[in-house]
Amino acid sequence: ANVQAFRAREISDEFSESKYIAIALASMLQAVIIGGPVAFMTYETPRVFTVIMSGFAFIVAMSLSFFMFVPKIILGRKNKKRRASSMTSESYNESGVKGIRI
C-alpha cells in the first residue's frame, strides 16, 4: 500500500489519498510495534490479553477510519463553502428593482 501511495503522490488533493494512507499505515505500524510485545507478555493472563487485543483492534480501526474519512469531510465542507460563495445572490440594482446580481 505504501508503494502505491508513493506512486500516486502527484495526483491532486481532491482525488489523492496517498498522504492519508501513508499516515494510517504508519499509525498501524506503530500500534503493532507497541501492541505486539505487550500482547505477547500478557498472553497467559486472559483478561489483560483481551483488553490489550481489544484496544489494539480499536486503535487500528479508528486510525484507518480517521485518516481516510476526516480529510474527505473537511474537503467536502471547503468545497461546499466555496460553491455557496460563488453562487449568485439576490440584490437590488441602482433603480431599486429586485434582481439577480451575477
Side-chain angles (χ1 to χ4, degrees):
N2 279 333
V3 172
Q4 290 298 324
F6 181 76
R7 289 181 183 171
R9 69 187 184 280
E10 299 298 324
I11 298 173
S12 70
D13 284 341
E14 188 173 4
F15 302 109
S16 175
E17 299 173 345
S18 61
K19 178 172 58 172
Y20 306 115
I21 291 171
I23 294 170
L25 289 174
S27 65
M28 285 183 207
L29 178 65
Q30 184 179 12
V32 168
I33 289 172
I34 294 170
V38 173
F40 179 73
M41 290 186 299
T42 60
Y43 182 73
E44 293 179 4
T45 312
R47 282 188 180 174
V48 176
F49 182 73
T50 302
V51 170
I52 295 297
M53 292 309 290
S54 298
F56 175 72
F58 177 77
I59 289 171
V60 168
M62 290 307 295
S63 68
L64 180 64
S65 298
F66 179 79
F67 289 116
M68 294 310 301
F69 295 115
V70 170
K72 291 180 183 185
I73 293 169
I74 292 170
L75 183 64
R77 287 185 180 175
K78 284 181 183 177
N79 288 340
K80 186 177 179 180
K81 287 180 183 178
R82 190 178 311 139
R83 281 184 294 196
S85 67
S86 68
M87 298 290 284
T88 59
S89 62
E90 290 187 349
S91 65
Y92 293 93
N93 61 15
E94 293 81 25
S95 63
V97 177
K98 187 176 181 180
I100 296 179
R101 179 176 54 104
I102 298 177

